[in-house]
Amino acid sequence: MNPPKAVCFENVSAEYRGIKDKNPKIFDGLDLNIHKGEKVALIGSNGAGKSTLLKLICGFIKPYGGRIYVCGEEITSKKPEETAKYVSLVYQNPEEMFIGESVGDDIEYAMRERKIPDYKSKALELIEMFSLKGLENKDARLLSGGQMRRASLAIGIALNPSVLLLDEPTANLDIATRTEVIEALNSICSKTETAIVATHDMQLVAEWADRVIVLHEGRIAADGTCTEIFEDEFVLEKVGIMPPEIYTLGKRLFGAQTLNPKEFADLFLREREEVLAI
Amino acid sequence: MSLSSNSSMGQAQKMMVFVLSMSIYGIATLFTELIPSFHVGIVEFSVEYFLFIPLSLAMLLSPLSAALGAATGELVFSEIMLGQFGGLGEVEKFLTVTIGVYVAGRMVRNPLDRKMVGFAAIFGVILQQGMGCIVDILKVVLAVEDFEAVPGLPESVFFTEGFSFLNDVLFSGILFCMLPTMYLVPKLYGKIEPLLGMKPRDEKTAFGGEKLFTPKVAVLSILGFGAAALFEILSESGFELVDWEADWAESGPAYAAGIFIGFIVLAVAIAAIKRNFESSKRGAGQ
Amino acid sequence: MKKLSENILDKISIDYVRTQVLKNAYGNDDTPIAKLDPRTLLLWYLFFGFFPWFANNVVLLLLLFMFAAATTRLAKVAPLVLFVFCLGVFSQTGYLLIVSLFFDGNLSTIIPLSVLTLKVATVSLASITVFSGLDPDRLCAGLLYFGCPDKLSFSIAFSYRILPVLMEQFQNILFSYRLRGRVPEKSGSFWVVKNLFYQIKIIMLSFYPLMLGTAKRSRTTVEALELKGYRHSLSNPEVRRIKLSHLRFSKGDFAFAFISLVYTAGSILISSYIKL
């Protein structure tokens, strides 16, 4: 028996308003199930519908056909204020999430509005967790890139959503900041049940996701684990994605599937010992 | 102190304030076109305008740049972009918005003084709406022949204009200009300036100083209003100034011939411009 | 009113505005009007924007109105724009008529008002044709040619570029408020008013982050312009010439001018023989 569904799309169709007369369709009869506890990466080229999918889940945009369920409840025509009970979306641009007067105020905001008891102490916990201490009274726009991103993650999980949606969490970050954000992401995933990330960052996909969904022109082109996707050369070719370097390297050298540098290093050492033993 | 009192602010900073005020107020005016208005009895409630945006910027940053930016923004976003550009008549709106915002911006010496901010905001609105109202009345008075003689028209013009003035000041003015400005200005003070790379205003850099209404400001405002009214009237009632119809009505064909000749002159002018332009291009090419 | 309060936020479907405006600006670049030279259109507007104010003959005004309407149709103007146009015309004169009936107005009030309406309508339609037919770049070039301040053409060009960005940002910020906010509880008789108030409040509040975000952006923009020597270029005639070098009159321009000319002359002839 499958675990309960966190997100369920039934025959969903969505379109966006085009500049020319016809409205281009983004999705036409899309079916999709995401189960509780999954860490899903959505990949695909620009315009494949990744962001639209996230926006549909949190009620930002409404489909013109089909039904969407989140945590067993139909949200197809629900207001975003109501879907927020289950879902939270972290934008690609953190600045658009800063609506309060300071970092601390922003983290508190949702809990205060929704009259959650002890919101002050909960906000302090989040500030601690995302190492934002000492910055809570600053205006969030004046922070560094990585700090802004961490603050946006803290805001995103403040309401303890069952489903967390992240749009390009590692875009435009330098390597150090990226590592920071991935760490923060991992610690988040111990708190929320289900997370869906839309991304172009294959390294992030390889290191973090346990299910990969490839979107291509509004359809699901492939759906599987990281290795399944990275092995499927037809899909990679069609959608125009490249597995991370470390994966390609491991495959070329040893014919093995290495998803991160650690796996590669372990494999490399093993192989070397074998060679030395001979 | 006069216009140059804020010369500590560089040209680049003024340009930033202009761009900021233009784009945000422009977007806001686009919305006001789209938020539907609703009626309770005869009173019409509508989100008339988001003047609080340029008002706040004028009080915090540079009054003149914010005022010009707002007027330009409205012109570009809600007039030109939506294809509603009404020619010379737009000049009236442009000037009244500029004057209203500019005067309100100069009135505030301490952005943290909420009472002063609120007073200045509502004063700016009254100024802008008042000028607009007078111009609107003059417009119909001059555009309709024998205005006084048309039954019911004078009363209805004064009634609708007066009523919409009160409505705009009391409803939109308080709800959408005064209150948001009072809320925003102290909140933005000290926060928006670093983002633009400038220092917050203080007693020393305040505009206008003690002499709030220097003769220069007053004279400029009056001149501006005069020009606004003139443009509006010109655009609406040229036939009153140049009595075309009387002369031409009797001889339609002559009239037509005149227009025909006018067009030919226009065509020749275009051709001349074209030739001139192409030769100048060749000149540039050599 | 109940319906209104429930979905103001959906009404300002920013998506809708954005596409309508963009449609208006860039969407109809394949219409006959859009192929004309901007200078032709501006000169044409100069005539159709002013001439109706000077004419008091109802037949002539009617004919001019029909011509302006035909060009608007040729320009394939977006529906929203036409709707706003109708609203604008009504608010200027129709409202006046209704109110004047309360002040002893009678049928004779209608004639001067309908002349006024026709004038307003013709001039507005002419401007819709011209300014929808021209995409912003061509409009700028045309305005620059006739000596408009460069700051205006810069503002127009910049506004079109920044509009989609700002709209999206505004939409996202508004959505941030909604995702983190709470709708007033659906109980009590004042729920409708409370809900309306909530919606307007978050729209207003959204401008606070937008202002801060845009402040940051406009600084970047202006600094980039400074680096490129934008302010210096304003006073350089060579720059102006390069900017305008792509303008060309074509056969279409002359045909359009000729048709307008013949039509106007014909209308004047007709109107001088028909007496109403």
Side-chain angles (χ1 to χ4, degrees), chain B residues 59 104 106-123 182 212:
Chain B
M59 289 169 193
R106 283 186 68 105
M107 280 170 79
V108 175
R109 270 189 290 153
N110 176 11
L112 293 174
D113 180 357
R114 266 177 211 255
K115 269 186 212 145
M116 190 64 220
V117 168
F119 176 71
I122 200 74
F123 186 79
M182 284 168 78
L212 186 57

Side-chain angles (χ1 to χ4, degrees), chain C residues 48 52-53 61 64-66 68-69 72 85-86 88-90 92-93 113-129:
Chain C
F48 275 86
W53 293 117
L61 282 171
L64 289 178
F65 171 77
M66 278 157 58
T72 311
F85 157 76
C86 293
V89 171
F90 177 76
Q92 284 192 44
T93 59
L113 277 176
S114 66
V115 172
L116 185 64
T117 311
L118 265 180
K119 288 180 182 184
V120 172
T122 311
V123 171
S124 320
L125 277 180
S127 69
I128 288 178
T129 303

Side-chain angles (χ1 to χ4, degrees), chain C residues 200-235:
Chain C
I200 292 176
K201 195 178 100 188
I202 62 172
I203 291 174
M204 305 294 252
L205 283 176
S206 297
F207 279 99
Y208 166 71
L210 189 70
M211 273 161 117
L212 291 174
T214 314
K216 217 171 158 182
R217 192 188 302 277
S218 49
R219 184 181 182 186
T220 328
T221 310
V222 170
E223 280 171 353
L225 284 172
E226 291 289 305
L227 279 181
K228 284 159 77 183
Y230 167 73
R231 229 177 326 125
H232 175 68
S233 79
L234 287 186
S235 51

Side-chain angles (χ1 to χ4, degrees), chain B residues 69-103:
Chain B
T72 313
E74 175 157 20
L75 186 75
V76 171
F77 278 82
S78 86
E79 311 291 341
I80 293 181
M81 278 175 132
L82 280 183
Q84 292 200 75
F85 188 63
L88 278 190
E90 304 300 346
V91 175
E92 170 239 13
K93 193 95 188 255
F94 189 93
L95 289 174
T96 55
V97 168
T98 310
I99 295 169
V101 173
Y102 176 66
V103 170

